[in-house]
Amino acid sequence: MLRKLFIALVVLVVLVAGAAGGGFLYLRSGLPQAEGQVALPGLQAPATATRDPNGVPYIVAASAADGFYALGFVHAQDRLWQMDFQRRIGAGRLSEVMGSASLGFDRYMRTLGLYQVAERNLAAVSAETRAALDSYAAGVNAYMASRKGPLPVEFLLLRYQPEPWRPVDSLVWGRMMALQLSDNMRQELMRARLSRRLSPQQLADLYPTTLRREQPTTIAGLDIDRLWAALPMDLMSTGASNEWVVDGQRSQTGKPILANDPHLRYIMPNLWYLARVTTPEGSLAGATVPGIPFFILGHNDFIAWGMTTTHGDTQDLFVERVDPNDPARYHTADGVKSFTTRVETIQVRGQAPETLTVRETVHGPVVSDILTGTGGVASNGDVLSLSFSGLAADDRTADAFLAINRAKDWPGFLAALASFHSPLQNFAFADQAGNIGFAVAGRVPQRRSGDGRLPAPGWSGTHEWAGWVPFDRLPRVFNPPGGLIVNANNKPGPDALAAPLGADWEQTYRARRIQDLLAIDPRQTVDGIQAMQTDSMSLPARDLLAILTQVEPHDDRGRRAVAMLKSWDGRMTRGRAEPLIFSAWLRELNRLLYADELGPLFQDYWDLRPDVVELMLTQRRQWCDDVATNTAETCEGRIAVALERALEWITQRYGAGTGNWRWGEAHVARLPHPVLGKVWPVNRWADLTIPADGDNYTVNRAGSVTGDEESPFASVHGPSYRAVYDLADLDNSRFMQASGQSGHLLSPHYGDLNRRWRDGRTIRIPAEPAAGPKDRLPVLTLVPLAVPEAPQEKQP
């Protein structure tokens, strides 16, 4: 109660200050109506939304169209500002409400033209999908028209009103996710920058999971370091996930069990919104995204599915040579062509609008122009354009999601995936008939030559895309003999199948650990698989400590630390000191091994990188030399110095006694609110922070930013949603998301799931919602708005 009163007081002060400047002060609560009746236009028949004690809505509607309508209404009730925020990002319109601080986002999104792509995608989807998008938009707009009380506080603080929802607003989210889960452009830039300083062998050492190598193309005159810095890193890839499925022979239920936990950047409100929707077509339960009418992850009455990111190569940068005699033209294999251009006007709050001229080549938008508008031409005319499968006008991924939601078996599921175009994903499948499967879905370019790891010459025609890899050539398996499928972003098949997808793959640590856990018990349970999702065993710690602890430390403090690590089991538990010692040691060792070779590029490459460190300490020991002083150093000496520096860093932060050292002090899961998180003291409640287990390589993944000097181990990326689907009893399936159902700061469901998520607890979303402590659940009934009949003309 004190928390609510304090937040209300602070928000009231902020709003009153806004009112003095022309804002409108609402006096009534803005929390959504959860019970009673609301009459709405466009609804075909009454629908109900019953919220369980966790704020999860159970929607029952008389038709699929009304189900989409009701979901749009409920999404808008709980997450309207989040929906508006994400569509503004996709449209490059943040600066209209947030000012010049967000211009970098807007320039980038306008250059890519994601909103225009989404508009073209809308024209390509089926009539059924379009009808679903229309019904959903009508539900969102019905809420905005019928709501009572104030808008969410973010609108009031930023002093603007949301615009009506359009079907294209739902599709732009898919384009944003395609961008966020595709990292090849950034990797190509990083490799191109490194290739200017390092030999081909050194570059290969820094990317040990790469299948092939290719020599770099000269990018003369263009400042690719500045381009790297100009890319909005919040929109770059953070994709990683786990999924595994066992068949009935490997489960105690006699039916499959499927586990999935997608890993994304943490934010408040969390991306996911749990729901159940029942219509005459059947029931769906699982994870939705506010702004989208379809279930992204979950189960229907017949099947369950999950996703992980493939990390295939679906982006290529092309070096374009501008005609020195005519800067409006560029060279191609077919001769000189004119840039296609369009003018974008970015409205900026508090200052004059900014005009951006976007240029496109046959390969795609000229992304290097984000440096200086159209002044991004290098001295010799080089610019960089981007080819990306997620920019295709005929993308029909929305059709795929609708078909996945309705699939009843493996053939129907595969038919749905044939229309899943971007981002490239690994799908896990299970059905109540006892089948399990795995399929990669998405568009992968067929290149005439090259492997896409470095920017390619755009003028030669040698690296052009020649269509897409056929869907039936992508890796897939159905009912494998071992009755088990595991993927944790590792290579999704043997080289012959995986090679067309790309050249880089995630390390195998998580996949290996999942397989080890499944091998312990030949017959799995739902509870056991749920517990595996929060496993915090670090295989890199076990692998590397066998090398690191052989070195003699310089002092007693180091010897005590090594003794602790030798008796440690490798679990990254928040209450122990050993995970902090190991992580700080590994962080400093990375710095000592390659900071001198990388120079100013070190900060951008720096990570814990256990696979790279192990390679350098065992097979490529020349990295231990000191390039800066041109002196030979032993790897053992580097290891000892790294330990000394790590322990000094910990001591300065957490005190001298190891009894005060706790991994959870440094390793805090942070879910920041992009607006309220910047308003003191509201940020104390708007941002969620909680000590957490795990690290970047555990099954319970918790990614951090190693180069962040203030908080190098804070968890900013991880399992934002967890689910375990029981195909023997779908009502026994387990769900959890990282924050809470509501985006309203004063709601009891704003962050009420956070601690349960951290601790690995789950909830169920059965066919009938379970009553709360008061034995009564709120029911909101949506009814069609009666339209008065036109008066009848009197007959003479």
Side-chain angles (χ1 to χ4, degrees):
M1 180 60 70
L2 288 176
R3 168 184 175 272
K4 289 185 178 180
L5 287 173
F6 182 74
I7 296 175
L9 178 62
V10 172
V11 171
L12 183 63
V13 170
V14 172
L15 295 181
V16 169
F24 182 74
L25 177 62
Y26 290 94
L27 299 177
R28 298 182 60 186
S29 170
L31 295 180
Q33 179 181 349
E35 56 187 328
Q37 182 172 294
V38 183
L40 302 170
L43 200 61
Q44 298 172 5
T48 59
T50 304
R51 283 180 167 86
D52 75 5
N54 300 300
V56 177
Y58 288 63
I59 294 170
V60 178
S63 67
D66 281 355
F68 293 126
Y69 185 108
L71 183 62
F73 186 93
V74 169
H75 276 169
Q77 278 190 305
D78 284 330
R79 302 282 191 91
L80 181 60
W81 185 80
Q82 177 190 25
M83 294 165 63
D84 187 72
F85 183 67
Q86 70 185 14
R87 70 169 165 177
R88 283 188 173 275
I89 292 175
R93 295 181 56 195
L94 276 182
S95 300
E96 290 181 18
V97 298
M98 301 187 75
S100 59
S102 55
L103 267 172
F105 278 86
D106 288 350
R107 291 189 191 109
Y108 185 53
M109 302 308 276
R110 297 289 186 99
T111 297
L112 295 179
L114 288 196
Y115 204 76
Q116 289 94 330
V117 172
E119 289 176 321
R120 293 191 284 270
N121 295 165
L122 185 63
V125 300
S126 69
E128 266 194 303
T129 301
R130 178 58 193 260
L133 293 165
D134 287 342
S135 295
Y136 180 87
V140 175
N141 291 327
Y143 168 71
M144 286 196 277
S146 66
R147 66 174 180 81
K148 298 177 181 179
L151 284 163
V153 67
E154 295 92 339
F155 289 110
L156 303 177
L157 289 171
L158 296 173
R159 303 194 305 279
Y160 79 99
Q161 297 273 335
E163 298 170 359
W165 194 263
R166 304 171 61 212
V168 68
D169 296 331
S170 295
L171 294 187
V172 78
W173 174 82
R175 300 309 85 217
M176 290 165 55
M177 289 306 295
L179 178 65
Q180 190 175 355
L181 297 178
S182 305
D183 196 33
N184 314 112
M185 177 180 73
R186 196 164 65 107
Q187 290 295 335
E188 285 183 40
L189 272 180
M190 190 68 219
R191 288 192 181 98
R193 298 167 71 207
L194 290 168
S195 68
R196 293 177 167 181
R197 293 184 61 90
L198 304 177
S199 69
Q201 179 59 57
Q202 287 177 310
L203 189 59
D205 292 345
L206 296 182
Y207 295 94
T209 58
T210 295
L211 294 177
R212 302 183 297 277
R213 304 177 194 167
E214 187 175 7
Q215 295 305 307
T217 299
T218 299
I219 312 174
L222 181 62
D223 192 342
I224 56 176
D225 293 328
R226 282 186 59 225
L227 178 57
W228 170 277
L231 293 174
M233 290 302 155
D234 285 347
L235 296 178
M236 295 298 105
S237 174
T238 56
S241 307
N242 301 320
E243 64 184 9
W244 65 96
V245 56
V246 297
D247 67 11
Q249 296 299 311
R250 282 180 166 263
S251 77
Q252 293 188 18
T253 67
K255 294 288 186 178
I257 304 173
L258 190 156
N260 182 217
D261 50 292
H263 306 165
L264 295 168
R265 188 181 300 278
Y266 296 144
I267 192 169
M268 281 300 296
N270 186 26
L271 174 70
W272 305 106
Y273 183 88
L274 304 178
R276 186 176 188 107
V277 176
T278 301
T279 71
E281 291 188 353
S283 289
L284 285 154
T288 67
V289 171
I292 316 301
F294 313 117
F295 280 71
I296 307 302
L297 301 162
H299 72 76
N300 60 24
D301 295 330
F302 304 96
I303 72 166
W305 71 95
M307 284 190 279
T308 65
T309 294
T310 310
H311 288 292
D313 192 343
T314 58
Q315 295 177 334
D316 277 350
L317 285 171
F318 285 89
V319 185
E320 310 283 12
R321 288 278 157 85
V322 178
D323 187 343
N325 300 316
D326 185 355
R329 294 162 67 82
Y330 64 100
H331 291 271
T332 75
D334 299 323
V336 179
K337 294 182 181 291
S338 296
F339 287 102
T340 300
T341 63
R342 69 176 189 274
V343 176
E344 296 278 349
T345 300
I346 303 174
Q347 302 294 330
V348 185
R349 186 171 203 156
Q351 67 184 57
E354 177 175 296
T355 299
L356 176 71
T357 300
V358 177
R359 299 184 292 177
E360 292 191 11
T361 72
V362 293
H363 301 114
V366 177
V367 292
S368 55
D369 280 353
I370 67 171
L371 289 175
T372 55
T374 52
V377 183
S379 57
N380 76 329
D382 285 2
V383 295
L384 286 177
S385 64
L386 173 68
S387 285
F388 174 33
S389 63
L391 299 181
D394 61 345
D395 190 291
R396 292 175 49 227
T397 302
D399 285 345
F401 273 121
L402 178 61
I404 290 169
N405 287 187
R406 294 173 171 175
K408 297 181 178 180
D409 51 27
W410 177 248
F413 189 69
L414 282 184
L417 295 188
S419 297
F420 191 96
H421 293 155
S422 65
L424 189 66
Q425 295 286 287
N426 306 314
F427 282 83
F429 166 92
D431 66 22
Q432 289 192 309
N435 301 300
I436 65 173
F438 171 91
V440 175
R443 282 174 164 171
V444 182
Q446 295 192 108
R447 298 173 176 88
R448 290 179 181 171
S449 65
D451 60 16
R453 294 181 56 244
L454 288 161
W459 61 87
S460 68
T462 55
H463 291 66
E464 303 301 297
W465 289 9
W468 312 108
V469 176
F471 173 61
D472 59 8
R473 280 184 50 202
L474 300 178
R476 73 174 63 156
V477 64
F478 182 62
N479 288 334
L484 169 67
I485 298 167
V486 175
N487 185 268
N489 311 112
N490 48 297
K491 186 171 61 177
D495 287 354
L497 284 175
L501 303 183
D504 297 311
W505 308 105
E506 281 279 303
Q507 301 97 333
T508 61
Y509 299 121
R510 285 179 286 121
R512 284 164 45 200
R513 177 59 180 167
I514 293 167
Q515 290 172 331
D516 290 347
L517 290 169
L518 290 171
I520 294 173
D521 190 340
R523 294 174 67 82
Q524 304 298 321
T525 65
V526 173
D527 289 340
I529 284 183
Q530 177 186 323
M532 291 179 197
Q533 290 183 316
T534 53
D535 180 79
S536 62
M537 174 66 72
S538 170
L539 295 191
R542 296 198 316 192
D543 294 346
L544 277 175
L545 285 176
I547 301 171
L548 302 185
T549 56
Q550 298 303 309
V551 173
E552 179 63 27
H554 289 164
D555 53 26
D556 288 342
R557 181 175 64 176
R559 282 185 280 273
R560 287 194 298 271
V562 167
M564 293 173 65
L565 292 173
K566 284 183 175 180
S567 61
W568 176 46
D569 63 2
R571 296 184 185 276
M572 305 296 288
T573 308
R574 61 183 179 275
R576 296 190 65 94
E578 293 91 343
L580 179 58
I581 298 170
F582 169 72
S583 298
W585 193 357
L586 182 56
R587 180 174 184 261
E588 290 301 323
L589 188 52
N590 273 271
R591 191 200 310 260
L592 284 171
L593 285 174
Y594 54 77
D596 48 352
E597 285 87 354
L598 270 58
L601 304 185
F602 167 72
Q603 191 74 24
D604 295 332
Y605 176 82
W606 193 17
D607 206 342
L608 295 184
R609 300 189 184 275
D611 54 339
V612 174
V613 168
E614 185 173 4
L615 176 73
M616 292 177 175
L617 295 180
T618 56
Q619 302 175 44
R620 303 286 300 157
R621 292 172 65 89
Q622 54 267 49
W623 284 93
C624 295
D625 295 340
D626 190 336
V627 173
T629 61
N630 197 28
T631 58
E633 297 280 352
T634 66
C635 290
E636 292 70 22
R638 292 289 198 183
I639 293 171
V641 171
L643 175 62
E644 187 175 18
R645 291 184 181 180
L647 295 175
E648 184 59 31
W649 182 88
I650 297 173
T651 299
Q652 291 177 1
R653 292 289 185 99
Y654 306 107
T658 57
N660 297 323
W661 298 355
R662 297 287 184 273
W663 178 230
E665 291 291 316
H667 191 252
V668 175
R670 292 181 175 173
L671 285 73
H673 192 291
V675 172
L676 299 181
K678 296 175 172 57
V679 179
W680 184 89
V682 180
N683 57 353
R684 294 181 58 189
W685 293 275
D687 295 345
L688 299 187
T689 59
I690 190 168
D693 298 334
D695 72 1
N696 201 39
Y697 308 101
T698 56
V699 176
N700 186 16
R701 191 166 189 250
S704 56
V705 181
T706 302
D708 183 345
E709 293 292 353
E710 289 299 315
S711 304
F713 303 120
S715 176
V716 298
H717 168 268
S720 52
Y721 167 75
R722 295 190 185 105
V724 179
Y725 306 105
D726 181 357
L727 276 299
D729 178 8
L730 286 169
D731 281 357
N732 188 45
S733 299
R734 316 296 172 81
F735 305 89
M736 184 52 63
Q737 57 109 326
S739 62
Q741 287 288 96
S742 179
H744 296 272
L745 188 61
L746 290 177
S747 169
H749 300 302
Y750 180 75
D752 60 325
L753 298 179
N754 184 240
R755 185 171 294 274
R756 283 182 276 176
W757 163 80
R758 189 276 307 271
D759 294 341
R761 290 182 283 165
T762 58
I763 64 174
R764 292 175 175 84
I765 312 178
E768 295 294 331
K774 298 181 180 179
D775 218 27
R776 188 183 72 84
L777 297 176
V779 180
L780 180 65
T781 302
L782 312 180
V783 298
L785 181 66
V787 179
E789 293 185 8
Q792 298 292 321
E793 293 185 8
K794 292 183 178 181
Q795 297 296 323

